[in-house]
Amino acid sequence: MTLDDRTVRDLVLVGHGMVGQRFLEAWTEQSAARGWRVTVLAEEPRPAYDRVHLSSLFDGSTAEDLALCPSGFLAEHGIDLRLGDPATAIDRAGRTVTTRSGAEVRYDVLVLATGSVPFVPPVPGTDAPGCHVYRTIEDVDAIRADAATAGTGVVVGGGLLGLEAAGALRAGGLATHVVEFAPRLMAVQVDDGGGAALRRKIEDLGVTVHTGAGAGGVLTGPDGRVRGLALSDGRELPADLVVFSAGVRARDQLARDCGLPVGPRGGVVVDERCRTEDPAVLAIGECAQAVDGRVYGLVAPGYQMAETAARTVAGLDGAAFTGADLSTKLKLLGVDVASFGDPHGTAEGALDVLYSDSRSGVYRKLVIGTDGALLGGVLVGDTEGYGTLRPLAVGGKPLTVAPEQLVLPAGFAGAAGPVALPDDAVLCSCHNVTQGAVRAAVREQGADSVAAVKKCTRAGTGCGSCLKQLGTVVTEELEAAGVSAFKGLCEHFAHTRAELYEIVRVTGVTTFTELRDRHGSGEGCEICKPTVASILASLGNGHILDGEQGALQDSNDHFLANLQRNGSYSVVPRVPGGEITPEGLITIGEIARDHGLYTKITGGQRIDMFGATVDQLPAIWHRLVEAGFESGHAYGKSLRTVKSCVGETWCRYGVQDSTALAIELELRYRGLRSPHKLKAAVSGCARECAEAQSKDFGIIATSAGWNLYVGGNGGMTPRHADLLAADLDRETLIRTIDRYLMFYIRTADRLERTSVWLERLEGGLDHLRAVVLDDSLGIAAELDDLMGRHISGYQDEWAATLADPERLRRFASFVNAPGTPDPAVTFVPERGQIRPARPGEAGHTLNAPVLVAGARLEVLTP
């Protein structure tokens, strides 16, 4: 219906960031919105995007992946979005806003969502080329462009954004320093113990941390570009790139210029309905100071303010904004960190319950009130219980279990079990959605999946930290109603992993994008992307680094080597069955010696070489491939080893040639990508020296043939393997293993070991036996064919990478200086070899040969 312009009222929104977009969504849900014309004045050249996940742009995501404004949303609601034309002045008397282009826009109600600006310390040189802030997509583009020719980067600021920026620089191959003025990292979110644990974990990854010091000035070279950073304590750090991420300041200049009151530390003063002193002007998000005197820099409070403002403009009552939960859960440089409630225990009489394991990097603290209620906490290194603990802390309910049970390892893993959340507990702090609202969406609105609940309640659409708990509640509610819970892989795919495997196998889909477009939705996530990558790889869809496949892999697959704690990599050549010639041993020894690597015999009878930098990997592989070695796939979810004893060939107790069979099987199944890693073993007699019954599949020789065991597992949750078949001849044995492995790959869930899969498999061992031995499902021929395709299509990933210049381009510590060692990867000598330098130790980078305890190592004296 066309509205008469004389009856239409004008709503102007200044700013189109995350909070601005949420306001528009909340506003368009109001019935009163039909009588309004909406104009949005945006400074940036693109619509609202997800600034929380800005760092994902360094991992291959695009600006389109971060977009928050749904296609067609603006047109559907008649919203006039003016990009790149921000407001420059407000005339409150005339109720108009002037834009940078000179346009004058009338308003009846004005909503300020101008956000914040990065704080850059007022020190000399911050405008030099090579200095950046970390706030927008354009900032990321500029940092990436400079990083391509930089060797060392310094991030000023050890908070959330600062550590994200440091992670991006480190992932880009730069030697990275973090400078934080406070005595610990993330000073607002974590306590001293949590900060110390976080620092250890981050320094183990090769990032150098400097706390208790600020920026004193940027040092420049003759060309005017950055060459270093002077610290406030007199030290100087070399730098080709400096990123300032030392906090933000409310962007309130428009309000100041038009006479609206602002807080003493910035922020437009608003009441509990988000109204400024002028009832026609509202302010939300980081540009506003709430009634509790705080300026909130997190997205969750901003969203709550946006929803409150939308109801205020619509003339509706509702929840006022008087303050917000500042809980956070995130992963910084691969380290899980969370804080919730009152993490510092400011309440009178509050007590701390602590668990700290510096060896594993786990730190947990719960703050308990005098009434036994959980007030807050800090989690570093393991945030598994966050989804349960945060709502309890926010609700201020007394605990029903001893707090010690929630911090000690045995109790913490099951924290979600013994602690029941009340329905008024807030599950999603971003959108203030309670557990009761989620349960009601399932019971009363027919939401039968997490994705459906997200649409009904918006829970889980913010930072995403509540998704696991959200899934638990949805499943519980569905099961209570006798309804099967959603079994899809994630919100982007309603199919299970097994169903997606069948879709790819039958349709011939070869890329994630094609599968998503035809059978999924959205852009994908950290669950579905690597899962689909594994499926594609198991069905032989090209080299793991080619095209889109490469972007879907995790850090180990990205470089065909195992990432270690100090940013170096380990190289594991395949040694089938553990059998190796003296020449092979000599070759590995010479490579390790010449590159200064640490060597160790693995539990799977292989030799692991630790301490290689990214740029060294191709040179190491080249020598290994020339000597007849190939990738041992220690980095992938695939077959690792087939361990063996020496069998009847050498052992007086052996009854079969276990070594020959182990070699045959390892070469047969090498490179077989699967839902999880696979380990196997062959023992030459019942004495079981190869420990076959603790493997995913294990074989024990008998006088009449071979006994096949499946579903075993060592590691964290050991499981004894089950006897699948006895006294098999060699041909039947191999055919049975072929079918077992392909049936597992075809039907298992993501990251599901064979031990868990077998226990979950309907019908268990009997069903598995019927499928692989009796062909009860009529799929034996398909399983045989799939294994045959794998065997015939196998190629060594190292050799294939060496033969392709395009693939080799990624293997450089510094793109502008290939072959230059990464100074952040440091080692110290120990027992005639090297190990990663610990925090505070004077480490060495691998570069020039020096003798240590009789061993020739490549190290550079600092």
Side-chain angles (χ1 to χ4, degrees), residues 130-151:
C131 287
H132 300 271
V133 293
Y134 184 63
R135 186 68 177 164
T136 68
I137 289 178
E138 284 66 39
D139 292 336
V140 170
D141 290 341
I143 291 170
R144 283 197 294 195
D146 261 5
T149 56

Side-chain angles (χ1 to χ4, degrees), residues 28 96 100 258 292 346 428 430 520 563 616 626 632 716 849 860:
T28 54
T96 62
R100 185 165 60 192
C258 70
D292 61 356
T346 58
C428 175
C430 289
L563 179 64
Q616 290 178 314
E626 275 193 335
M716 184 179 295
L860 175 66

Side-chain angles (χ1 to χ4, degrees), residues 381-670:
D382 184 352
T383 57
E384 184 68 19
Y386 174 83
T388 298
L389 297 173
R390 184 199 58 77
L392 288 172
V394 173
K397 305 287 185 180
L399 291 174
T400 57
V401 298
E404 293 81 5
Q405 184 178 342
L406 299 178
V407 296
L408 293 174
F412 195 79
V419 184
L421 294 179
D423 274 353
D424 60 357
V426 176
L427 286 189
C428 175
S429 59
C430 289
H431 295 288
N432 199 33
V433 181
T434 65
Q435 175 175 270
V438 172
R439 293 191 183 279
V442 178
R443 288 195 307 264
E444 301 167 13
Q445 300 181 54
D448 59 356
S449 67
V450 170
V453 169
K454 289 168 75 172
K455 289 182 180 179
C456 290
T457 66
R458 299 191 64 84
T461 61
C463 70
S465 64
C466 63
L467 283 175
K468 183 172 182 179
Q469 188 69 12
L470 187 64
T472 299
V473 172
V474 172
T475 299
E476 288 176 353
E477 199 63 33
L478 288 173
E479 290 177 347
V483 179
S484 297
F486 173 72
K487 302 297 184 182
L489 181 66
C490 67
E491 63 177 293
H492 304 106
F493 287 99
H495 302 283
T496 65
R497 182 204 169 275
E499 290 168 344
L500 290 176
Y501 179 92
E502 290 302 312
I503 290 171
V504 173
R505 184 182 68 82
V506 173
T507 63
V509 168
T510 59
T511 67
F512 173 83
T513 299
E514 184 182 2
L515 183 67
R516 182 203 62 202
D517 291 346
R518 292 170 59 178
H519 301 280
S521 62
E523 299 299 328
C525 64
E526 68 277 5
I527 294 175
C528 59
K529 286 182 178 180
T531 300
V532 172
S534 174
I535 292 172
L536 294 171
S538 69
L539 289 169
N541 283 288
H543 193 282
I544 204 73
L545 297 183
D546 286 350
E548 191 183 54
Q549 270 281 77
L552 302 177
Q553 307 304 322
D554 62 22
S555 59
N556 287 336
D557 282 307
H558 269 307
F559 295 106
L560 308 181
N562 273 10
L563 179 64
Q564 302 302 322
R565 65 184 301 161
N566 69 337
S568 64
Y569 289 82
S570 69
V571 178
V572 187
R574 187 170 299 286
V575 180
E579 182 180 85
I580 188 169
T581 64
E583 289 77 11
L585 284 171
I586 291 169
T587 297
I588 291 176
E590 288 178 338
I591 292 171
R593 179 197 64 199
D594 294 346
H595 288 276
L597 308 179
Y598 168 86
T599 55
K600 188 182 186 302
I601 306 297
T602 73
Q605 298 179 331
R606 302 195 289 194
I607 301 174
D608 203 342
M609 294 178 281
F610 293 81
T613 54
V614 167
D615 57 290
Q616 290 178 314
L617 293 174
I620 294 171
W621 298 341
H622 180 75
R623 293 179 63 178
L624 288 170
V625 170
E626 275 193 335
F629 290 100
E630 61 183 26
S631 168
H633 284 91
Y635 48 83
K637 298 293 186 288
S638 57
L639 180 79
R640 296 294 176 85
T641 61
V642 181
K643 186 178 178 181
S644 77
C645 63
V646 295
E648 68 171 356
T649 307
W650 292 92
C651 179
R652 58 198 175 103
Y653 298 105
V655 295
Q656 299 281 1
D657 188 351
S658 57
T659 303
L661 180 61
I663 292 171
E664 180 179 3
L665 293 177
E666 185 160 343
L667 294 177
R668 185 177 184 83
Y669 304 130
R670 58 187 170 178

Side-chain angles (χ1 to χ4, degrees), residues 13 16 119 126 129 226 247 261 271 308 366 392 414 429 489 519 529 548 577 608 615 704 782 794 829 834 848 862:
L13 172 66
H16 193 221
F119 171 69
T126 56
V226 171
D271 64 12
T308 296
L366 300 183
L392 288 172
S429 59
L489 181 66
H519 301 280
K529 286 182 178 180
E548 191 183 54
D608 203 342
D615 57 290
E782 292 179 10
Y794 170 77
I834 58 168

Side-chain angles (χ1 to χ4, degrees), residues 111-132:
V111 179
L112 300 178
T114 48
S116 61
V117 292
F119 171 69
V120 177
V123 297
T126 56
D127 57 348
C131 287
H132 300 271

